[in-house]
Amino acid sequence: MISLRKLTISPDTQLQNLGWDWMLGQDTLPYLANEVVVVQAEEADAYYDAVNELFEMFVTAGQHIIDGNRFAEMGIPANLVELIKLSWDDDRHIHLYGRFDLAGGIDGRPIKLIEFNADTATCLPETAVVQYAHLKANGLDDSQQFNAVFETLTGQFEELLAVNPDLQPTLLLSAIRDFPEDDTNVALLGEAAREAGFDIEFDFIDNVEFSAEEGIFWQNPKNGQFEKLDFWFKLVPWESIAEDEPELVKLLTEIVRKRLAVVLNPAYTLLFQSKYILKILWDLYPNHPLLLETDTKPLAGKACVEKVLFGREGANIRIINMDGSERLAADGDYGDYPKIYQQYVEFPQDSEGHTYQAGVFYAGEACGLGFRRGGLILDNKAGFVGHVIN
């Protein structure tokens, strides 16, 4: 059983004191729980070690996919393959950050990889700032949390500047219009980049201009002039760009090839984002203690979870019983993608039957823990629960 601890004082005042007033909006705080998961120090250490090991395994799997030209199996759009190879083969294209979703790790259960949100991971503000402020509001010390997300992200941006000295430290951060939660995630990344030495601008992706000969441009509303920026972060999935904006893929391929800009996260993160990599990992590391058996067909005699290769927030997931019958299913917009089948594992639960999935951010190293709480399938209604180290 999950152990919870009540933290009754809201973090509102602490967020204001930190200068993070923008986080007090309607899309961030209402689903923050007033209790936290109690984590033992050795459990926090185990999450850290597991995620660092998993990332190395993902890199090995990525090289395996490229060497074997297995992009089609992965569901990778053909028009992205060249850009994936360009960014993979150039170490200046750093993977900025992602979030590993994990079962277990507490309540005596082994840690198991569920998936890696490598491209457009959210829950950054909740993990990096809100749960920290919640801890401080209740008189606890920040050493009682596995949470260095903001500092580690800042370090990643510093590293980007160090390995790209030929580019200007100008960063444009873009999300899709009318998604306020995305805006807060992008704003946090912008704060980390600013601290690292970047000049930053924000704009929605439909306002960004791309040129295969000159690079990426933003129109400054103050003077109407188009200004070139040498780094671009997009909280827009690569597979969506490839499917909906094929001309943009062509432009970005030329922009990266000619060193006109660095795009974050790089295109190769789609290799990690595709859930087909869960099968590749099982093939490369059979019976690894951090992995769950995964195949392209239901697992004979075992309960399993049917997932689409590119799905988000629990959409289009089916839980299948040992006898092949359906236990639970979630609708969604991703049903046309191919599917994989991952061995089912029970998530830890609290006394009220809520399930808990650990999320551990990775930004050059494992850097922060938080939990999502909900039902058997964690969808976009799942809550965020912070943690305290006992």
Side-chain angles (χ1 to χ4, degrees):
M1 192 73 66
I2 285 273
S3 176
L4 296 172
R5 177 174 173 181
K6 290 279 187 187
L7 293 185
T8 54
I9 302 171
S10 157
D12 295 35
T13 303
Q14 274 64 30
L15 288 169
Q16 287 165 338
N17 291 343
L18 284 166
W20 296 76
D21 305 62
W22 51 269
M23 285 215 52
L24 299 171
Q26 58 183 357
D27 288 281
T28 48
L29 283 184
Y31 83 137
L32 177 75
N34 69 349
E35 65 254 325
V36 291
V37 176
V38 177
V39 176
Q40 304 303 316
E42 59 271 21
E43 292 171 336
D45 290 342
Y47 279 126
Y48 176 82
D49 292 338
V51 161
N52 289 333
E53 182 175 357
L54 283 167
F55 189 80
E56 292 302 316
M57 292 161 64
F58 269 79
V59 171
T60 299
Q63 191 64 62
H64 174 83
I65 293 159
I66 290 172
D67 291 345
N69 197 32
R70 300 183 67 177
F71 300 101
E73 289 172 70
M74 301 286 296
I76 305 290
N79 60 347
L80 267 179
V81 170
E82 186 176 3
L83 184 52
I84 286 171
K85 290 180 177 178
L86 282 171
S87 58
W88 182 268
D89 290 335
D90 187 340
D91 290 343
R92 295 171 294 189
H93 294 267
I94 291 172
H95 178 244
L96 182 63
Y97 83 103
R99 189 189 76 243
F100 284 90
D101 289 342
L102 308 166
I106 44 178
D107 193 26
R109 297 166 185 255
I111 295 170
K112 296 289 184 180
L113 171 69
I114 299 300
E115 60 198 46
F116 184 24
N117 299 275
D119 182 18
T120 54
T122 55
C123 279
L124 269 174
E126 299 92 324
T127 307
V129 181
V130 177
Q131 68 167 342
Y132 162 79
H134 202 195
L135 202 71
K136 301 296 279 185
N138 287 272
L140 298 171
D141 188 83
D142 57 7
S143 66
Q144 292 176 265
Q145 213 167 66
F146 169 26
N147 185 6
V149 174
F150 188 77
E151 296 82 356
T152 311
L153 277 171
T154 301
Q156 284 288 87
F157 280 115
E158 289 171 346
E159 179 70 9
L160 270 166
L161 289 178
V163 299
N164 291 283
D166 55 319
L167 300 181
Q168 294 298 309
T170 52
L171 171 67
L172 176 64
L173 299 109
S174 299
I176 300 173
R177 197 179 294 274
D178 298 325
F179 287 89
E181 180 196 344
D182 289 358
D183 297 345
T184 59
N185 280 272
V186 167
L188 184 138
L189 288 164
E191 291 295 324
R194 196 196 314 272
E195 197 152 303
F198 276 92
D199 296 322
I200 65 167
E201 301 292 351
F202 298 94
D203 212 337
F204 296 112
I205 187 168
D206 52 281
N207 281 347
V208 184
E209 294 289 328
F210 304 90
S211 164
E213 302 303 322
E214 298 179 75
I216 298 174
F217 291 83
W218 169 78
Q219 189 173 18
N220 189 330
K222 293 175 183 172
N223 56 23
Q225 298 295 308
F226 281 95
E227 299 174 3
K228 182 178 186 298
L229 296 106
D230 286 1
F231 295 81
W232 181 50
F233 174 86
K234 45 102 211 134
L235 198 67
V236 184
W238 274 113
E239 73 272 15
S240 298
I241 295 174
E243 292 161 9
D244 301 337
E245 302 287 346
E247 286 305 311
L248 178 54
V249 172
K250 290 180 185 176
L251 291 170
L252 290 173
T253 302
E254 289 307 305
I255 285 167
V256 169
R257 187 201 316 282
K258 295 172 182 172
R259 286 288 292 166
L260 297 171
V262 166
V263 181
L264 304 164
N265 271 313
Y268 66 72
T269 50
L270 196 55
L271 300 177
F272 301 161
Q273 185 75 33
S274 168
K275 293 181 185 65
Y276 195 93
I277 202 169
L278 300 170
K279 178 192 184 304
I280 301 273
L281 287 165
W282 185 258
D283 292 345
L284 293 175
Y285 303 97
N287 301 305
H288 190 286
L290 294 173
L291 300 179
L292 294 165
E293 182 180 354
T294 306
D295 208 339
T296 53
K297 57 187 183 298
L299 307 176
K302 295 179 182 177
C304 58
V305 179
E306 179 187 88
K307 299 180 175 184
V308 290
L309 297 192
F310 297 107
R312 283 172 166 78
E313 296 184 316
N316 301 102
I317 280 181
R318 287 201 309 143
I319 299 176
I320 301 170
N321 294 318
M322 289 174 61
D323 62 2
S325 62
E326 181 179 285
R327 181 174 177 185
L328 189 65
D331 293 331
D333 299 328
Y334 308 103
D336 292 339
Y337 285 116
K339 299 171 177 66
I340 55 95
Y341 297 84
Q342 183 183 54
Q343 185 178 348
Y344 177 74
V345 62
E346 296 275 359
F347 285 171
Q349 294 187 354
D350 62 22
S351 59
E352 297 181 6
H354 298 122
T355 65
Y356 289 74
Q357 177 182 269
V360 178
F361 277 94
Y362 183 92
E365 65 177 317
C367 59
L369 170 67
F371 291 89
R372 292 183 72 217
R373 174 166 74 184
L376 282 181
I377 295 176
L378 291 162
D379 56 19
N380 59 3
K381 300 184 207 62
F384 178 87
V385 185
H387 73 284
V388 62
I389 295 175
N390 195 14

